């Protein structure tokens, strides 16, 4: 979580450079005009954006149908996401883009591929035909469990072409997590790879799919396997099929399905405050409008830009700003398979120089890692192609912002700090590089048409510089349309706090200029290296171990990852507290969820501090986890000895 004090005292302001501002897609005048319209009539603003940025097969009857908390955008209109990302760039007056690079892909071992719009179109059509030939129909769910290879984007686009709904499961999640998501989504097919490369080694994916499908009680009929590493995999007859074999004979002709604007585009699971991840549902027309408009405006995309967002397609940032946003804008998007520091700590900077990257979008946690590794690594490479930088995923501390500005941007690149969520589909609060002054640590102002504000618990707007809860008052087109299979949870989680107002779960304040300073999650969701993990999720994983009686999980501040996971565990009588049990529990959590959920510390205790009504006192545990004296009221604590024992465990 961001340090409130250092944010409150941050005073520096950076103005857009004259040259940049003059050439920007959205200049000061345009921004002012859009803000005015967006303020007065957000529906009309978004309808104008939908006309300008998206191609439709037939128009809508109504731009917004809002029956809180259910929003429908562009009611009755028909479109297709893959048509917008591909066909429209290679037809008519745009036909010249046929041979423009759509995807520049770099594998971790150093292999690379450049795929043009024409090629991508052909491969997507072919794969859409493969999906069809295996019985995938409109509205069927397809789970993708992939490394960062172009086939991940091809599979996504192929699903959208025929109206199948994809659900990507990040390749770092375990087979257990994969099994739950396959079951919850009711997926008919899984698209995976034998494996991928990470930190110089081939890791397996297909083996995890096999594990997830063990026992046979699942809806999956086919598993399509991309050959990436060549490692040995088992292919189950009648179920498992090689991608490259299927593609050989597949036709390159596949007209895009004319889909309703509200047709389900994808489900993406994300952590919430319970043990069970939520399947966030996004639909077609509104989502596409939101991501296309924001990509063009915030990243100032021009025809000759080389745009690189470092996110994995397994996260929302990979969906919206590696694949759909940039391709819908007809841009060149870079995909990189591996880790930032392999084979050396300068891999990313080498890639920027190699491909002439002009726009670079990454997470504060990565920036902090690079600060620690030393300036000599970026300084060894020619980064002069860069003209715009972005960050996402967590609050950026002003020190990291300044380093990004000085060492990577050489003081000439504007920085857009973008606040948004899996649920919002696209960016909600961000600078517009052609006309908004930036302040290190602030995401600046809401995008036009986004009615964000800061409220107290009762729904009253708080005064400038007063802390409160981030809120959004009017629906926006990229907004989630629900939680897959759980209407009640959707209503309660996001719309239960105030009347007809969206609650994102973040704390924030505004300064006197109305700039937003996001303070981080205020619920039981942790942000580890920009990735969301629920405390309850890790707790359920821990208590599923036979030797664990009870567990409580909290976050503690960490210099690099933002937050680190600390688990307090009460073992059952027979289990021995000690290093080997700690190791076993860390491994258990990795198996249950994935390495991102692995606790940094595990502390054993005979009991957890609880209130008299039996609630675990998390605030107190957070104090202990970060080495602070317990603060606040402990008078309702059930057993004072418990704190004493927990603190002893510190030594
Ligand atoms: C946090 C990632 C501060 C926030 C796109 C949010 C941020 C959660 C920022 C969503 C930012 C994201 N400044 N905090 N610029 N961007 N967050 O769903 O707590 O993985 O609620 O979406 O990340 O994480 P998610």
């Amino acid at each position: 979580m961001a340090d409130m004090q250092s944010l409150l005292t941050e005073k520096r302001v950076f103005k857009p450079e004259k040259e940049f501002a003059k050439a920007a897609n959205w200049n000061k005048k345009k921004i002012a005009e859009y803000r005015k319209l967006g303020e007065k009539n957000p529906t009309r603003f978004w309808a104008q954006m939908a006309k300008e940025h998206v191609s439709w097969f037939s128009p809508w009857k109504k731009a917004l149908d809002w029956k809180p908390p259910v929003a429908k955008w562009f009611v009755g209109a028909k479109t297709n996401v893959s048509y917008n990302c591909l066909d429209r760039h290679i037809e008519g007056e745009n036909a010249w883009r046929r041979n423009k690079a759509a995807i520049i892909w770099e594998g971790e071992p150093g292999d690379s591929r450049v795929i043009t719009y024409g090629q991508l179109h052909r491969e997507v059509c072919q794969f859409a035909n493969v999906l069809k030939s295996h019985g995938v129909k409109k509205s069927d769910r397809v789970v993708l469990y992939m490394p960062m290879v172009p086939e991940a984007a091809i599979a996504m686009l192929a699903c959208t072409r025929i109206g199948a709904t994809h659900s990507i499961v990040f390749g770092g999640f375990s087979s257990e997590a994969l099994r739950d998501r396959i079951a919850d989504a009711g997926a008919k097919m899984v698209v995976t790879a034998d494996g991928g490369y990470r930190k110089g080694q081939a890791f397996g994916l297909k083996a995890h799919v096999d594990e997830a499908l063990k026992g046979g009680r699942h809806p999956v009929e086919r598993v399509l396997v991309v050959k990436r590493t060549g490692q040995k995999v088992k292919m189950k007859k009648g179920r498992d099929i090689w991608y490259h074999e299927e593609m050989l004979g597949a036709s390159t002709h596949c007209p895009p399905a004319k889909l309703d604007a509200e047709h389900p585009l994808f489900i993406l699971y994300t952590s919430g405050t319970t043990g069970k991840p939520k399947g966030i549902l996004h639909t077609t027309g509104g989502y596409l409008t939101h991501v296309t408009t924001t990509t063009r405006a915030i990243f100032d995309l021009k025809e000759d830009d080389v745009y690189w967002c470092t996110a994995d397609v397994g996260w929302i940032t990979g969906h919206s700003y590696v694949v759909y946003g940039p391709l819908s804008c007809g841009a060149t998007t870079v995909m990189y398979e591996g880790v930032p520091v392999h084979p050396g700590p300068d891999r990313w900077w080498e890639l920027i120089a190699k491909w002439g990257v002009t726009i670079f979008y990454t997470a504060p946690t990565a920036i902090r890692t690079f600060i620690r590794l030393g300036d000599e690594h970026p300084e060894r490479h020619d980064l002069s192609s860069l003209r715009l930088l972005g960050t996402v995923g967590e609050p950026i501390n002003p020190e990291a912002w300044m380093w990004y500005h000085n060492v990577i941007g050489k003081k000439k690149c504007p920085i857009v700090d973008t606040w948004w969520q899996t649920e919002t589909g696209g960016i909600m609060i961000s600078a517009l590089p052609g006309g908004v002054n930036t302040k290190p640590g602030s995401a600046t102002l809401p995008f036009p048409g986004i009615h964000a504000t800061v409220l107290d618990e009762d729904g009253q707007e708080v005064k400038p510089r007063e802390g409160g809860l981030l809120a959004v008052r009017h629906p926006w087109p990229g907004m989630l349309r629900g939680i897959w299979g759980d209407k009640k949870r959707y209503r309660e989680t996001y719309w239960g706090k105030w009347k007809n107002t969206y609650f994102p779960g973040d704390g924030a304040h505004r300064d006197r200029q109305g700039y937003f300073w996001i303070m981080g999650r205020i619920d039981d969701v942790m942000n580890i290296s920009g990735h969301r993990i629920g405390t309850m999720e890790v707790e359920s994983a821990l208590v599923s171990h036979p030797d664990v009686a009870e567990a409580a999980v909290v976050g503690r501040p960490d210099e690099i990852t933002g937050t680190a996971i600390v688990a307090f565990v009460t073992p059952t009588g027979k289990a021995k507290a000690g290093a080997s049990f700690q190791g076993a529990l860390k491994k258990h959590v990795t198996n249950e969820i994935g390495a991102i959920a692995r606790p940094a510390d595990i502390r054993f205790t005979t009991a957890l501090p609880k209130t008299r009504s039996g609630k675990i006192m998390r605030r107190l545990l957070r104090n202990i986890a970060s080495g602070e004296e317990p603060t606040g009221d402990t008078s309702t604590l059930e057993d004072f000895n418990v704190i004493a024992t927990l603190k002893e465990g510190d030594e």
Side-chain angles (χ1 to χ4, degrees), residues 80-150:
N80 181 287
V81 170
S82 86
Y83 177 85
N84 275 273
C85 291
L86 301 167
D87 306 58
R88 66 165 169 165
H89 304 311
I90 57 174
E91 294 172 346
E93 60 181 26
N94 292 330
W96 67 270
R97 274 208 203 102
R98 184 172 285 272
N99 295 321
K100 173 177 173 173
I103 296 177
I104 293 179
W105 173 79
E106 175 101 5
E108 199 193 67
D111 46 343
S112 64
R113 277 162 73 187
V114 178
I115 302 176
T116 65
Y117 272 94
Q119 286 170 321
L120 190 61
H121 179 259
R122 280 194 294 279
E123 294 207 22
V124 167
C125 287
Q126 282 184 301
F127 193 54
N129 283 325
V130 172
L131 291 175
K132 281 201 242 174
S133 72
H134 288 284
V136 177
K137 292 191 196 64
K138 184 172 153 185
S139 301
D140 283 344
R141 272 82 58 211
V142 176
V143 160
L144 314 185
Y145 186 59
M146 302 281 279
M148 275 294 278
V149 292

Side-chain angles (χ1 to χ4, degrees), residues 2 270-271 315-317 321 361 364 391-396 416-424 426 429 441-443 470 504-507 517-522 525 527 530-532:
T270 189
S271 296
W315 308 108
I316 190 69
T317 310
Y321 297 106
Y361 187 33
T391 77
V392 59
E394 50 182 319
I396 181 163
V416 289
D417 172 358
T418 62
W419 177 88
W420 59 294
Q421 307 177 295
T422 305
E423 292 87 340
T424 68
I429 303 178
S442 168
L470 194 57
D506 278 340
W517 301 77
I518 314 291
M519 310 311 298
R521 305 288 307 188
I522 53 116
V525 175
N527 191 327
H531 300 314
R532 279 162 66 169

Side-chain angles (χ1 to χ4, degrees), residues 459-524:
Q460 297 298 315
E461 269 193 20
V462 301
K463 292 199 198 84
R465 295 171 71 88
E466 230 171 61
L469 308 171
L470 194 57
V472 188
R473 280 197 157 130
H474 190 274
W476 63 97
M479 174 175 130
L480 78 162
R481 297 302 197 266
I483 295 176
W484 188 252
D486 201 340
K487 275 197 183 130
K488 189 163 157 257
R489 194 173 173 194
Y490 167 69
R491 201 175 275 273
E492 285 169 0
T493 310
Y494 304 109
W495 305 93
K497 197 175 255 320
W498 310 291
K499 193 169 183 303
N500 301 347
T501 300
Y502 174 81
F503 171 55
D506 278 340
H509 73 269
R510 273 184 297 186
D511 64 18
R512 290 203 175 86
Q513 283 78 44
Y515 274 48
F516 283 70
W517 301 77
I518 314 291
M519 310 311 298
R521 305 288 307 188
I522 53 116
D523 53 10
D524 289 330

Side-chain angles (χ1 to χ4, degrees), residues 185-202:
K188 200 171 193 178
M189 181 185 275
V190 176
V191 184
T192 188
D194 48 359
Y197 289 100
R198 211 185 132 73
K199 295 187 195 154
Q201 295 195 332

